[in-house]
Amino acid sequence: MSADYPTMTTAEIRSAYLNFFKEKGCKLYPSSSLVPDDPSLLLANAGMNQFKEYYQGKKTMKEIGACSCQKCVRTNDIDIIGADGRHASFFEMLGNFAFGGVTKEQACAWAYELITEVFKLPKERLHFTVFTDDDETHDVWRDLGVAEDHITRLGEDDNFWAAGPTGPCGPCSEIYFDLGEEVGCGREGCAPGCDCDRFLEFWNLVFTQFDRQEDGSMPELPHRNLDTGMGLERMAAIMQHKSSFFDGDVMQSLIKLGEEISGATYVDDDYSGASRSLRIIADHARSVNFLISDGVLPGNEGRGYVLRRLLRRAVFHGRLLGIEDAFLGRFIDAVNDVMGEAYPNLIENAALVKGIVSAEEERFSNTLNNGRVYLDEQLAALAAGEQLPGKAAFMLHDTFGFPIDLTVEIAEGAGHAVDIEGFDAEMAEQKARARAAAKGDAWGSFNDVWTELSDELPATEFMGYDHESVEGARVLAIVVDGARVKTAEGGVDVQVVLDRTPFYAEMGGQKGDRGLIDSDSGQVLVRDTVSKGGLYVHEGTLSGTLSEGDTVFAGYDLERRALVRRNHTATHLLDAALKEVLGDHVNQAGSLVAHDYLRFDFTHFEALSSDQIKAVERLVNREILAAKPVVTRVMGIEEAKASGAVALFGEKYGDVVRVVSVGEEDRPFSRELCGGTHAANTAELGLFKIISESSTGSNIRRIEAATSAGAIEWLENRAALAEQAAGALKCRIDEVPARIASLQADVREVNQKLKAALTGASSDAISSAIEGALDADGYKLVLAQLSGLEGSELRNVWDTIRQKVSGPVACVVATVTEKGTPALLAAATDDAVSAGFKAGDVIKEISAHVGGRGGGKPTMAQAGGKDASGIPAALDAARALLGL
């Protein structure tokens, strides 16, 4: 690409774009989280997402418009990534938005000024598309000086945006950069819209000006909206005189790291092999880093599944490049080096991200190994040149996380093709199921009663930080069975909205308050309080009559709130203690704060040892016994962060926050952003006791604990159990452990004697089986189902058979384990193997009868299964296989 315009780095382009629109009077908005507030969206995938309420008219903007650089993740084209220079899972979208404040003429003029005067792109290399019927935009570009042959009209598929069959819609105008004839198809008249790669689209202006009706008519919206988007990575490629998304400075720094780690060589115009894998790793590493930093954790559905799939594809392509060791942590560091200044939360969460990535990388490596065993078995069962069935390939994809290209590569190496059509059919069925279960698009309707009420009513004034009750609160709304009513009669369940309330609504893991709403004509026994769109909703049973406009008394259950407050403060102490004992990678991943116990989920990569649990308990109880003050201050978000306050992982905060500190102001034990209610002093907690520690999924641990009354009750229950055990064992409580150990030793001795009797030389069952041995061709074959044994003890049976039978001998023996599952063993002496008995082949053939699979060497092989009733059929199958 010729150097007929200046070069700019990605950071310079981002800064120039945002500064340009700020100077035009647009307000700069920071990127929203990849986890959107909109429940209809899985991930933020466009700059317009955070402005949806402005488009819908629910909010108004005093500035002329807005601008932002939004981080985005899209995975609909994940299989194409790396195979061309234009698709990616993560990208940054530079956007300019307006809601009636900017005309179409202004928007186009600004775009033209930016790209020709700031970025200084040559006008002769710029091309513009407009919707077929959009003469208005065509004329705007022409009047700005764009030549007629540089304006192309395209149809609805390319240049018309719609929220859905009905609703907001409007024409688009896209701006393209001409990469040169040498890149294109060579066809005369080649222009934007051609399938070749000559014209690179980098900016799209959407003019949302119509409201399409069910009859197809399109009246104008009350005001015209503007939604523009410029792909930062595409613009970086252009400004750095490259032709591919992956050839800009940011992506190239990651690709070079991949070259360094793998020893592979990147070729910019090679879209296969090592170059494709290097692109995929670079792209996916960015996505993984940003997703985890925004609070997404690996899982099997939703956002967690997207993250896990990206992470596993990156690991797989590392394997294709010959990288056997963990490597993604180095990519996380590299992403932070080039993007951490623009996105500080990457740096803040680096330890956590690397810990999660490392654990997932190790887990998937094991999965790859297990999947390889399954694939090898499937390939071994195929005849020469036979295709691997599509169902088996899909099983590898769906269960073992094998990308199809990995399956194809391994299968081809073994001389087999893969039934891709069958695989695609299985994938299509899965996608159809996913679509059927998917939620609506970003403009989905939420027209339930609470949406209407939250639009109409002011947000509830919460007075529960300082007041136990409120006199003179006014009833703003009553909902019965999902419908708003003016008056409700006694005996029904109601949801009541007050103008102000002392009741805490369930948020941040803290359970909502219970209590009483009382008026002259009725009472509501409140059993829960929840938040819906800024409204505090009191749910309970009404006695008497209640009407909108009534003046009421509202008071919460003081004793229950006190217990909840103590447990909430305990979660803060627990979080700080875990960080001190385990490390800074610990982050809260969820919590539940009730009156009787607390539950705390946190990021960690292995189970806590008993010593670690004790250390955490001691730290928390140390703070409780020290009777430290718990102080809450209200401050700006930046001041809060500067004070060292801990923000919850993945949580979103407003400009003003509450900061809860435990301990001395200059060196608190804990300081967190939190809107919940808390004890005034740690001494109120009395005692902290961890009840359990467990796993809730990959990289997430869970602690359940209790304080004050809950902890005392738990200890009392444990003491009662200890007394019952002592009574049953007829000893003192302090003698219980020694008494149990003595009994266990006695049981082990009895079991050993029993196993020796069952498997030793004197075993009647084995002797009977040997007496009934079959004469095979050159060896004796013992077939038997034995009772009272575990699978591991079948080897002892084989030892006994070898001792009692002289000459060549083989066996196929089975048992039902204590858990009710079947176990099979086939074994043979070397002479029997020479005579034709192959233990591994026998087990592989018969294990399906017990719902399992297995294998091994010719001299010994074992299998487990799920269906013990199939043991007789398995033994019959062995007899038939051996011709007996």
Side-chain angles (χ1 to χ4, degrees):
M1 193 180 293
S2 61
D4 51 354
Y5 54 94
T7 298
M8 295 177 74
T9 66
T10 297
E12 289 169 342
I13 296 167
R14 186 192 297 116
S15 177
Y17 182 99
L18 297 175
N19 287 334
F20 177 86
F21 283 104
K22 281 196 295 182
E23 291 172 2
K24 297 297 183 183
C26 296
K27 180 180 179 181
L28 173 59
Y29 282 75
S31 172
S32 65
S33 169
L34 285 170
V35 180
D37 293 325
D38 188 340
S40 70
L41 279 177
L42 186 67
L43 293 164
N45 59 10
M48 59 78 63
N49 294 156
Q50 67 173 307
F51 300 106
K52 176 181 170 182
E53 291 183 305
Y54 292 100
Y55 280 95
Q56 294 175 322
K58 293 182 178 180
K59 288 184 178 180
T60 56
M61 185 177 291
K62 62 182 181 180
E63 294 84 8
I64 190 173
C67 62
S68 70
C69 182
Q70 174 65 45
K71 50 193 174 185
C72 301
V73 168
R74 292 180 187 171
T75 57
N76 51 313
D77 294 323
I78 188 170
D79 294 325
I80 305 173
I81 293 170
D84 63 20
R86 301 188 180 189
H87 291 86
S89 61
F90 177 89
F91 58 95
E92 296 178 82
M93 184 60 72
L94 294 163
N96 168 226
F97 312 89
F99 317 99
V102 175
T103 65
K104 185 179 292 188
E105 290 79 7
Q106 280 178 301
C108 293
W110 286 353
Y112 198 66
E113 178 185 350
L114 177 62
I115 58 181
T116 60
E117 297 184 21
V118 177
F119 295 144
K120 301 187 183 302
L121 292 179
K123 296 178 182 179
E124 65 274 10
R125 300 181 70 171
L126 298 175
H127 286 253
F128 302 78
T129 66
V130 298
F131 180 53
T132 304
D133 300 330
D134 188 8
D135 294 332
E136 183 181 9
T137 306
H138 171 275
D139 293 346
V140 169
W141 290 125
R142 184 197 59 200
D143 293 344
L144 286 169
V146 178
E148 191 69 40
D149 61 353
H150 279 228
I151 304 175
T152 303
R153 294 180 183 265
L154 295 177
E156 189 165 341
D157 289 344
D158 296 291
N159 278 86
F160 196 89
W161 179 86
T166 60
C169 59
C172 307
S173 182
E174 297 177 318
I175 307 176
Y176 290 74
F177 188 77
D178 185 356
L179 298 175
E181 293 183 5
E182 65 278 9
V183 179
C185 59
R187 179 177 59 84
E188 186 177 352
C190 178
C194 180
D195 291 334
C196 74
D197 292 333
R198 174 175 174 178
F199 296 95
L200 179 63
E201 182 261 314
F202 64 91
W203 199 346
N204 187 16
L205 295 89
V206 180
F207 305 110
T208 312
Q209 60 192 82
F210 302 115
D211 185 11
R212 182 148 52 193
Q213 306 298 304
E214 290 186 1
D215 62 4
S217 61
M218 294 195 298
E220 286 261 354
L221 288 167
H223 57 72
R224 291 185 170 189
N225 298 317
L226 171 68
D227 168 15
T228 80
M230 172 189 283
L232 178 55
E233 289 83 358
R234 289 193 180 185
M235 195 63 193
I238 293 171
M239 294 305 300
Q240 291 162 31
H241 305 273
K242 306 292 184 181
S243 60
S244 165
F245 177 101
F246 292 93
D247 292 341
D249 53 347
V250 171
M251 297 307 294
Q252 274 297 300
S253 68
L254 301 178
I255 287 171
K256 283 181 170 58
L257 174 60
E259 288 182 300
E260 175 188 333
I261 295 173
S262 68
T265 301
Y266 177 74
V267 180
D268 58 9
D269 59 354
D270 181 3
Y271 293 103
S272 62
S275 295
R276 180 177 183 233
S277 291
L278 288 167
R279 289 188 193 95
I280 288 171
I281 295 171
D283 168 80
H284 289 10
R286 282 209 308 172
S287 295
V288 165
N289 196 355
F290 276 87
L291 284 167
I292 298 176
S293 293
D294 275 359
V296 180
L297 296 172
N300 292 324
E301 56 186 36
R303 301 179 186 104
Y305 178 74
V306 170
L307 170 60
R308 177 164 283 165
R309 186 181 179 200
L310 290 166
L311 199 155
R312 290 185 168 189
R313 287 188 93 241
V315 173
F316 155 61
H317 280 277
R319 285 282 188 96
L320 287 184
L321 293 175
I323 307 173
E324 294 296 331
D325 297 328
F327 65 91
L328 281 179
R330 293 181 62 182
F331 276 89
I332 300 304
D333 288 336
V335 172
N336 293 347
D337 287 344
V338 294
M339 303 190 73
E341 184 175 351
Y343 299 98
N345 70 323
L346 295 180
I347 307 298
E348 295 167 6
N349 294 315
L352 170 66
V353 173
K354 291 172 70 174
I356 290 174
V357 164
S358 175
E360 280 290 308
E361 206 168 352
E362 179 181 357
R363 182 176 291 106
F364 183 51
S365 291
N366 294 332
T367 299
L368 278 172
N369 294 335
N370 294 334
R372 184 60 187 266
V373 171
Y374 172 79
L375 178 54
D376 287 345
E377 289 177 354
Q378 297 297 311
L379 294 172
L382 299 176
E386 185 181 355
Q387 276 192 333
L388 179 73
K391 187 163 287 191
F394 180 75
M395 173 78 169
L396 284 159
H397 162 81
D398 199 43
T399 302
F400 295 101
F402 264 47
I404 184 62
D405 34 5
L406 174 59
T407 302
V408 169
E409 179 173 330
I410 295 173
E412 287 179 347
H416 299 278
V418 177
D419 176 15
I420 297 297
E421 288 187 8
F423 173 82
D424 289 341
E426 295 284 341
M427 283 291 291
E429 285 186 23
Q430 185 192 60
K431 289 179 179 178
R433 291 191 296 270
R435 281 194 298 269
K439 294 180 179 178
D441 64 20
W443 295 80
S445 174
F446 303 97
N447 292 322
D448 63 9
V449 65
W450 296 110
T451 299
E452 297 172 4
L453 287 174
S454 63
D455 286 343
E456 175 186 337
L457 302 177
T460 305
E461 180 184 359
F462 175 60
M463 306 181 70
Y465 291 128
D466 305 310
H467 298 82
E468 298 172 352
S469 61
V470 173
E471 293 277 5
R474 190 162 61 89
V475 177
L476 298 183
I478 304 168
V479 173
V480 177
D481 293 332
R484 185 178 185 180
V485 298
K486 293 294 184 182
T487 298
E489 302 291 339
V492 299
D493 287 338
V494 294
Q495 295 174 292
V496 180
V497 179
L498 306 177
D499 62 341
R500 51 201 175 97
T501 182
F503 285 76
Y504 185 87
E506 180 170 350
M507 283 179 287
Q510 179 175 330
K511 299 290 285 184
D513 280 331
R514 299 174 184 171
L516 181 69
I517 294 176
D518 191 17
S519 74
D520 291 340
S521 59
Q523 286 187 340
V524 178
L525 189 62
V526 179
R527 57 178 173 268
D528 197 9
T529 310
V530 297
S531 175
K532 294 180 182 289
L535 303 178
Y536 283 37
V537 181
H538 308 78
E539 300 179 341
T541 303
L542 171 67
S543 59
T545 303
L546 190 68
S547 300
E548 283 189 10
D550 283 355
T551 300
V552 300
F553 162 89
Y556 59 75
D557 182 331
L558 298 179
E559 182 178 353
R560 182 176 179 277
R561 167 78 83 85
L563 294 171
V564 171
R565 287 195 346 253
R566 294 166 190 161
N567 282 338
H568 200 155
T569 301
T571 65
H572 288 218
L573 297 175
L574 175 58
D575 188 19
L578 286 167
K579 285 182 168 66
E580 186 166 329
V581 173
L582 303 179
D584 290 338
H585 66 275
V586 168
N587 274 281
Q588 181 174 335
S591 68
L592 184 147
V593 181
H595 69 285
D596 51 349
Y597 83 110
L598 64 94
R599 188 177 72 213
F600 189 82
D601 295 347
F602 59 98
T603 52
H604 190 55
F605 317 115
E606 60 186 0
L608 273 65
S609 67
S610 58
D611 286 344
Q612 288 173 326
I613 291 174
K614 288 176 184 176
V616 170
E617 276 189 342
R618 286 179 184 137
L619 278 173
V620 175
N621 282 312
R622 182 193 71 186
E623 298 302 305
I624 292 172
L625 293 173
K628 292 187 175 179
V630 181
V631 178
T632 300
R633 293 175 56 209
V634 179
M635 62 183 75
I637 182 65
E638 295 306 321
E639 181 186 357
K641 289 180 178 179
S643 75
V646 174
L648 296 191
F649 182 50
E651 189 65 46
K652 306 176 184 70
Y653 297 95
D655 294 334
V656 178
V657 294
R658 294 175 65 85
V659 177
V660 179
S661 301
V662 179
E664 298 80 3
E665 176 63 26
D666 58 339
R667 48 186 184 89
F669 180 72
S670 166
R671 177 169 285 159
E672 291 189 20
L673 306 181
C674 182
T677 61
H678 289 274
N681 189 286
T682 59
E684 294 179 28
L685 278 62
L687 174 68
F688 173 81
K689 181 62 187 174
I690 293 178
I691 296 169
S692 67
E693 191 273 342
S694 60
S695 170
T696 65
S698 61
N699 311 310
I700 302 295
R701 307 299 300 180
R702 169 172 291 175
I703 281 178
E704 293 188 355
T707 68
S708 61
I712 292 171
E713 182 181 359
W714 186 86
L715 291 172
E716 289 174 344
N717 289 337
R718 288 302 180 273
L721 290 174
E723 289 174 359
Q724 290 175 23
L729 295 170
K730 295 181 172 54
C731 65
R732 298 195 311 270
I733 287 179
D734 60 347
E735 296 174 336
V736 167
R739 180 69 177 134
I740 291 175
S742 175
L743 290 173
Q744 287 175 328
D746 291 343
V747 170
R748 283 195 297 271
E749 183 179 354
V750 170
N751 282 338
Q752 288 170 358
K753 291 178 179 179
L754 177 60
K755 299 302 182 187
L758 289 171
T759 63
S762 61
S763 168
D764 290 340
I766 297 176
S767 296
S768 296
I770 292 173
E771 289 175 7
L774 303 173
D775 289 320
D777 187 9
Y779 59 91
K780 292 279 190 180
L781 177 66
V782 177
L783 286 169
Q785 178 175 351
L786 304 170
S787 303
L789 301 176
E790 294 300 305
S792 60
E793 292 161 347
L794 291 178
R795 290 177 178 247
N796 297 335
V797 172
W798 168 237
D799 291 339
T800 299
I801 292 172
R802 279 193 303 177
Q803 292 170 10
K804 298 188 71 171
V805 178
S806 59
V809 63
C811 77
V812 180
V813 291
T815 188
V816 180
T817 69
E818 187 177 344
K819 294 181 179 179
T821 58
L824 304 173
L825 178 138
T829 61
D830 290 339
D831 291 342
V833 171
S834 298
F837 186 92
K838 300 291 189 295
D841 292 348
V842 172
I843 285 295
K844 186 175 181 180
E845 182 69 26
I846 71 174
S847 57
H849 291 283
V850 295
R853 62 175 186 261
K857 299 178 180 179
T859 54
M860 182 174 291
Q862 288 182 271
K866 301 176 182 177
D867 183 9
S869 67
I871 287 178
L875 295 177
D876 288 343
R879 185 182 290 107
L881 177 66
L882 299 169
L884 300 171

